[in-house]
Amino acid sequence: MNHFTAIVKDAIINYSMEQKDYICKYCGKSFRKESTLAAHLCEPKRRAQQEDEAGVKLGMTAYLRFYELSQGSAKFKTYSDFCESPYYNAFVKFGRHMVAIRAINTQKFIDWVIKSNKKLDHWCKDAVYQEYLMEHLRKEATQDALERSIKTMENWAEEKTSVFNHYFNYVNSNLLVQHIVTGRISAWIVFNCDSGQAALDKLSTEQIEMIFPYIDPDFWKRKFVDYFADTEWVKHILKEAGL
């Protein structure tokens, strides 16, 4: 080996020894360049970076609640435990689904799917949410139904540059149907103010059929009798609001 070759070989060895490895703290993979490590995105790192996403937070809430109800405790479960769970993707998918559909009372929806023994891979099905929603709307607190309905009217008024108590007078009939079948407008409000009942009278037969399961008159008539004080309170609030 000549002198020049020896110098080159020593230089290569020294360079290799001095070269610093950059290790991904999530998966353990090493990189020669810090910039490569920064650009690297493994599954554990991706999950760690999603911790503050709304859908992921709801997914973890469902994960913790599942363990609490099925095993009695989830107080020792951390976000790291969640990330390492084989069910991480399924719970996150459910959380994002709740965000996408703007699920009403997510905590109760989570409890309902667990206590109803729905299969995890069915939790995102539309039919499952509709089953929950129709049951929930009949049982929820009157104040919750009233507040959500008024908020929906206020959002409509802001978008239309109007006032919320004009909602039933001017809302598009298709939008009213959508608001009813998604639980945004409650039967507590529709049946307990004159403008709400007048709006129902304007709907087509097809539209009435669509909303019927959500505002079944026979059920709600009995409900209003059984909860007379709540009914009178709602009527008073709606009258004061100009509805």
Side-chain angles (χ1 to χ4, degrees), residues 29 32 40 74 76 93 97 135-136 140 183 243:
K29 189 174 181 179
R32 289 297 187 185
H40 162 69
F76 299 116
K93 180 181 178 181
H97 173 65
E135 183 177 317
H136 175 73
E140 70 175 329
L243 287 161

mmCIF file with all atom_site columns, all heavy atoms in Angstrom, residues 29 32 40 74 76 93 97 135-136 140 183 243:
data_model
loop_
_atom_site.group_PDB
_atom_site.id
_atom_site.type_symbol
_atom_site.label_atom_id
_atom_site.label_alt_id
_atom_site.label_comp_id
_atom_site.label_asym_id
_atom_site.label_entity_id
_atom_site.label_seq_id
_atom_site.pdbx_PDB_ins_code
_atom_site.Cartn_x
_atom_site.Cartn_y
_atom_site.Cartn_z
_atom_site.occupancy
_atom_site.B_iso_or_equiv
_atom_site.pdbx_formal_charge
_atom_site.auth_seq_id
_atom_site.auth_comp_id
_atom_site.auth_asym_id
_atom_site.auth_atom_id
_atom_site.pdbx_PDB_model_num
ATOM 1   N N   . LYS A 1 29  ? -34.791 4.416  14.168 1.00 0.00 ? 29  LYS A N   1
ATOM 2   C CA  . LYS A 1 29  ? -34.043 4.425  12.916 1.00 0.00 ? 29  LYS A CA  1
ATOM 3   C C   . LYS A 1 29  ? -33.007 5.547  12.941 1.00 0.00 ? 29  LYS A C   1
ATOM 4   O O   . LYS A 1 29  ? -33.269 6.627  13.468 1.00 0.00 ? 29  LYS A O   1
ATOM 5   C CB  . LYS A 1 29  ? -34.994 4.611  11.738 1.00 0.00 ? 29  LYS A CB  1
ATOM 6   C CG  . LYS A 1 29  ? -34.334 4.419  10.382 1.00 0.00 ? 29  LYS A CG  1
ATOM 7   C CD  . LYS A 1 29  ? -35.368 4.481  9.252  1.00 0.00 ? 29  LYS A CD  1
ATOM 8   C CE  . LYS A 1 29  ? -34.702 4.270  7.901  1.00 0.00 ? 29  LYS A CE  1
ATOM 9   N NZ  . LYS A 1 29  ? -35.687 4.302  6.785  1.00 0.00 ? 29  LYS A NZ  1
ATOM 10  N N   . ARG A 1 32  ? -27.856 9.832  8.789  1.00 0.00 ? 32  ARG A N   1
ATOM 11  C CA  . ARG A 1 32  ? -26.578 10.532 8.760  1.00 0.00 ? 32  ARG A CA  1
ATOM 12  C C   . ARG A 1 32  ? -26.748 12.043 8.850  1.00 0.00 ? 32  ARG A C   1
ATOM 13  O O   . ARG A 1 32  ? -25.880 12.746 9.343  1.00 0.00 ? 32  ARG A O   1
ATOM 14  C CB  . ARG A 1 32  ? -25.818 10.183 7.471  1.00 0.00 ? 32  ARG A CB  1
ATOM 15  C CG  . ARG A 1 32  ? -25.281 8.764  7.428  1.00 0.00 ? 32  ARG A CG  1
ATOM 16  C CD  . ARG A 1 32  ? -24.264 8.536  8.524  1.00 0.00 ? 32  ARG A CD  1
ATOM 17  N NE  . ARG A 1 32  ? -23.611 7.238  8.406  1.00 0.00 ? 32  ARG A NE  1
ATOM 18  C CZ  . ARG A 1 32  ? -22.754 6.759  9.285  1.00 0.00 ? 32  ARG A CZ  1
ATOM 19  N NH1 . ARG A 1 32  ? -22.460 7.470  10.352 1.00 0.00 ? 32  ARG A NH1 1
ATOM 20  N NH2 . ARG A 1 32  ? -22.202 5.578  9.104  1.00 0.00 ? 32  ARG A NH2 1
ATOM 21  N N   . HIS A 1 40  ? -38.068 12.767 8.181  1.00 0.00 ? 40  HIS A N   1
ATOM 22  C CA  . HIS A 1 40  ? -38.523 11.389 8.399  1.00 0.00 ? 40  HIS A CA  1
ATOM 23  C C   . HIS A 1 40  ? -39.859 11.377 9.135  1.00 0.00 ? 40  HIS A C   1
ATOM 24  O O   . HIS A 1 40  ? -40.060 12.107 10.098 1.00 0.00 ? 40  HIS A O   1
ATOM 25  C CB  . HIS A 1 40  ? -37.453 10.653 9.218  1.00 0.00 ? 40  HIS A CB  1
ATOM 26  C CG  . HIS A 1 40  ? -37.929 9.398  9.872  1.00 0.00 ? 40  HIS A CG  1
ATOM 27  N ND1 . HIS A 1 40  ? -38.263 8.259  9.162  1.00 0.00 ? 40  HIS A ND1 1
ATOM 28  C CD2 . HIS A 1 40  ? -38.127 9.093  11.188 1.00 0.00 ? 40  HIS A CD2 1
ATOM 29  C CE1 . HIS A 1 40  ? -38.635 7.312  10.006 1.00 0.00 ? 40  HIS A CE1 1
ATOM 30  N NE2 . HIS A 1 40  ? -38.565 7.792  11.246 1.00 0.00 ? 40  HIS A NE2 1
ATOM 31  N N   . ALA A 1 74  ? -59.336 2.979  33.625 1.00 0.00 ? 74  ALA A N   1
ATOM 32  C CA  . ALA A 1 74  ? -58.457 3.400  32.532 1.00 0.00 ? 74  ALA A CA  1
ATOM 33  C C   . ALA A 1 74  ? -57.530 4.511  33.010 1.00 0.00 ? 74  ALA A C   1
ATOM 34  O O   . ALA A 1 74  ? -56.878 5.164  32.215 1.00 0.00 ? 74  ALA A O   1
ATOM 35  C CB  . ALA A 1 74  ? -59.293 3.895  31.348 1.00 0.00 ? 74  ALA A CB  1
ATOM 36  N N   . PHE A 1 76  ? -54.701 4.574  34.348 1.00 0.00 ? 76  PHE A N   1
ATOM 37  C CA  . PHE A 1 76  ? -53.271 4.452  34.110 1.00 0.00 ? 76  PHE A CA  1
ATOM 38  C C   . PHE A 1 76  ? -52.921 4.446  32.625 1.00 0.00 ? 76  PHE A C   1
ATOM 39  O O   . PHE A 1 76  ? -51.765 4.295  32.255 1.00 0.00 ? 76  PHE A O   1
ATOM 40  C CB  . PHE A 1 76  ? -52.731 3.185  34.775 1.00 0.00 ? 76  PHE A CB  1
ATOM 41  C CG  . PHE A 1 76  ? -52.904 3.176  36.273 1.00 0.00 ? 76  PHE A CG  1
ATOM 42  C CD1 . PHE A 1 76  ? -53.711 2.239  36.884 1.00 0.00 ? 76  PHE A CD1 1
ATOM 43  C CD2 . PHE A 1 76  ? -52.280 4.136  37.065 1.00 0.00 ? 76  PHE A CD2 1
ATOM 44  C CE1 . PHE A 1 76  ? -53.886 2.238  38.260 1.00 0.00 ? 76  PHE A CE1 1
ATOM 45  C CE2 . PHE A 1 76  ? -52.446 4.141  38.443 1.00 0.00 ? 76  PHE A CE2 1
ATOM 46  C CZ  . PHE A 1 76  ? -53.253 3.190  39.043 1.00 0.00 ? 76  PHE A CZ  1
ATOM 47  N N   . LYS A 1 93  ? -60.348 6.793  13.862 1.00 0.00 ? 93  LYS A N   1
ATOM 48  C CA  . LYS A 1 93  ? -61.337 6.877  12.787 1.00 0.00 ? 93  LYS A CA  1
ATOM 49  C C   . LYS A 1 93  ? -62.701 7.255  13.357 1.00 0.00 ? 93  LYS A C   1
ATOM 50  O O   . LYS A 1 93  ? -63.418 8.096  12.800 1.00 0.00 ? 93  LYS A O   1
ATOM 51  C CB  . LYS A 1 93  ? -61.429 5.537  12.054 1.00 0.00 ? 93  LYS A CB  1
ATOM 52  C CG  . LYS A 1 93  ? -62.439 5.525  10.910 1.00 0.00 ? 93  LYS A CG  1
ATOM 53  C CD  . LYS A 1 93  ? -62.495 4.154  10.242 1.00 0.00 ? 93  LYS A CD  1
ATOM 54  C CE  . LYS A 1 93  ? -63.536 4.129  9.124  1.00 0.00 ? 93  LYS A CE  1
ATOM 55  N NZ  . LYS A 1 93  ? -63.622 2.781  8.486  1.00 0.00 ? 93  LYS A NZ  1
ATOM 56  N N   . HIS A 1 97  ? -64.765 10.661 12.770 1.00 0.00 ? 97  HIS A N   1
ATOM 57  C CA  . HIS A 1 97  ? -66.144 10.519 12.291 1.00 0.00 ? 97  HIS A CA  1
ATOM 58  C C   . HIS A 1 97  ? -67.075 11.410 13.108 1.00 0.00 ? 97  HIS A C   1
ATOM 59  O O   . HIS A 1 97  ? -67.928 12.109 12.546 1.00 0.00 ? 97  HIS A O   1
ATOM 60  C CB  . HIS A 1 97  ? -66.566 9.053  12.411 1.00 0.00 ? 97  HIS A CB  1
ATOM 61  C CG  . HIS A 1 97  ? -68.009 8.792  12.116 1.00 0.00 ? 97  HIS A CG  1
ATOM 62  N ND1 . HIS A 1 97  ? -68.568 8.984  10.869 1.00 0.00 ? 97  HIS A ND1 1
ATOM 63  C CD2 . HIS A 1 97  ? -69.025 8.352  12.916 1.00 0.00 ? 97  HIS A CD2 1
ATOM 64  C CE1 . HIS A 1 97  ? -69.852 8.672  10.906 1.00 0.00 ? 97  HIS A CE1 1
ATOM 65  N NE2 . HIS A 1 97  ? -70.150 8.295  12.134 1.00 0.00 ? 97  HIS A NE2 1
ATOM 66  N N   . GLU A 1 135 ? -82.758 7.796  19.630 1.00 0.00 ? 135 GLU A N   1
ATOM 67  C CA  . GLU A 1 135 ? -82.948 7.439  21.034 1.00 0.00 ? 135 GLU A CA  1
ATOM 68  C C   . GLU A 1 135 ? -82.556 8.600  21.944 1.00 0.00 ? 135 GLU A C   1
ATOM 69  O O   . GLU A 1 135 ? -83.267 8.919  22.906 1.00 0.00 ? 135 GLU A O   1
ATOM 70  C CB  . GLU A 1 135 ? -82.097 6.203  21.360 1.00 0.00 ? 135 GLU A CB  1
ATOM 71  C CG  . GLU A 1 135 ? -82.266 5.689  22.778 1.00 0.00 ? 135 GLU A CG  1
ATOM 72  C CD  . GLU A 1 135 ? -81.458 4.425  23.022 1.00 0.00 ? 135 GLU A CD  1
ATOM 73  O OE1 . GLU A 1 135 ? -81.450 3.544  22.141 1.00 0.00 ? 135 GLU A OE1 1
ATOM 74  O OE2 . GLU A 1 135 ? -80.825 4.330  24.102 1.00 0.00 ? 135 GLU A OE2 1
ATOM 75  N N   . HIS A 1 136 ? -81.449 9.246  21.615 1.00 0.00 ? 136 HIS A N   1
ATOM 76  C CA  . HIS A 1 136 ? -80.959 10.350 22.442 1.00 0.00 ? 136 HIS A CA  1
ATOM 77  C C   . HIS A 1 136 ? -81.919 11.537 22.430 1.00 0.00 ? 136 HIS A C   1
ATOM 78  O O   . HIS A 1 136 ? -82.177 12.145 23.480 1.00 0.00 ? 136 HIS A O   1
ATOM 79  C CB  . HIS A 1 136 ? -79.583 10.794 21.943 1.00 0.00 ? 136 HIS A CB  1
ATOM 80  C CG  . HIS A 1 136 ? -79.054 12.005 22.645 1.00 0.00 ? 136 HIS A CG  1
ATOM 81  N ND1 . HIS A 1 136 ? -78.581 11.974 23.946 1.00 0.00 ? 136 HIS A ND1 1
ATOM 82  C CD2 . HIS A 1 136 ? -78.942 13.306 22.237 1.00 0.00 ? 136 HIS A CD2 1
ATOM 83  C CE1 . HIS A 1 136 ? -78.204 13.184 24.307 1.00 0.00 ? 136 HIS A CE1 1
ATOM 84  N NE2 . HIS A 1 136 ? -78.408 14.010 23.296 1.00 0.00 ? 136 HIS A NE2 1
ATOM 85  N N   . GLU A 1 140 ? -82.958 13.210 25.974 1.00 0.00 ? 140 GLU A N   1
ATOM 86  C CA  . GLU A 1 140 ? -82.063 14.271 26.436 1.00 0.00 ? 140 GLU A CA  1
ATOM 87  C C   . GLU A 1 140 ? -82.784 15.300 27.302 1.00 0.00 ? 140 GLU A C   1
ATOM 88  O O   . GLU A 1 140 ? -84.014 15.441 27.260 1.00 0.00 ? 140 GLU A O   1
ATOM 89  C CB  . GLU A 1 140 ? -81.413 14.969 25.245 1.00 0.00 ? 140 GLU A CB  1
ATOM 90  C CG  . GLU A 1 140 ? -82.346 15.824 24.425 1.00 0.00 ? 140 GLU A CG  1
ATOM 91  C CD  . GLU A 1 140 ? -81.626 16.592 23.330 1.00 0.00 ? 140 GLU A CD  1
ATOM 92  O OE1 . GLU A 1 140 ? -80.455 16.954 23.518 1.00 0.00 ? 140 GLU A OE1 1
ATOM 93  O OE2 . GLU A 1 140 ? -82.247 16.817 22.273 1.00 0.00 ? 140 GLU A OE2 1
ATOM 94  N N   . GLY A 1 183 ? -80.902 16.473 14.289 1.00 0.00 ? 183 GLY A N   1
ATOM 95  C CA  . GLY A 1 183 ? -81.074 16.807 15.697 1.00 0.00 ? 183 GLY A CA  1
ATOM 96  C C   . GLY A 1 183 ? -80.740 18.241 16.048 1.00 0.00 ? 183 GLY A C   1
ATOM 97  O O   . GLY A 1 183 ? -80.708 18.598 17.226 1.00 0.00 ? 183 GLY A O   1
ATOM 98  N N   . LEU A 1 243 ? -90.960 33.628 19.157 1.00 0.00 ? 243 LEU A N   1
ATOM 99  C CA  . LEU A 1 243 ? -91.171 32.529 18.224 1.00 0.00 ? 243 LEU A CA  1
ATOM 100 C C   . LEU A 1 243 ? -92.625 32.055 18.243 1.00 0.00 ? 243 LEU A C   1
ATOM 101 O O   . LEU A 1 243 ? -93.008 31.223 17.457 1.00 0.00 ? 243 LEU A O   1
ATOM 102 C CB  . LEU A 1 243 ? -90.240 31.354 18.579 1.00 0.00 ? 243 LEU A CB  1
ATOM 103 C CG  . LEU A 1 243 ? -88.762 31.586 18.244 1.00 0.00 ? 243 LEU A CG  1
ATOM 104 C CD1 . LEU A 1 243 ? -87.876 30.630 19.022 1.00 0.00 ? 243 LEU A CD1 1
ATOM 105 C CD2 . LEU A 1 243 ? -88.538 31.406 16.744 1.00 0.00 ? 243 LEU A CD2 1
#
